Amino acid sequence: VTSPVKMTASQNVGLTILKALTAAPALQGHTINVGTGTGNNTVTLNGKVHSAAQKKAAETIAHQKAKGFKIVNSIEVSAK
């Protein structure tokens, strides 16, 4: 019998953000990575999108899903 893997609070937040970003219609077709530091309540967003509005949308989603966490938005905006 194996026990389920226990995730840290940061990992749970990271997974929650990743699911929300994947489900967001405005971000479809873009790969955004979510990194969480251990013990520092920081979430880092990385990846590429086509507009500043998409970058902001990703950050807004992260803030909504990660109350009390610092969001570092390192997403790059690049033309199509």
Side-chain angles (χ1 to χ4, degrees):
V1 175
T2 59
S3 61
V5 174
K6 293 186 179 183
M7 292 179 28
T8 66
S10 291
Q11 289 171 322
N12 279 327
V13 166
L15 184 58
T16 299
I17 293 169
L18 186 59
K19 287 179 181 178
L21 293 173
T22 302
L27 300 173
Q28 295 298 307
H30 298 283
T31 301
I32 299 173
N33 299 308
V34 179
T36 56
T38 53
N40 64 1
N41 287 349
T42 300
V43 173
T44 303
L45 304 175
N46 291 295
K48 290 185 180 181
V49 295
H50 295 306
S51 71
Q54 290 172 317
K55 179 177 179 172
K56 182 64 178 169
E59 183 175 340
T60 298
I61 290 168
H63 277 291
Q64 290 170 344
K65 300 296 180 182
K67 304 281 188 215
F69 281 71
K70 177 183 175 185
I71 307 300
V72 177
N73 190 346
S74 297
I75 296 172
E76 295 178 41
V77 176
S78 63
K80 294 181 184 180

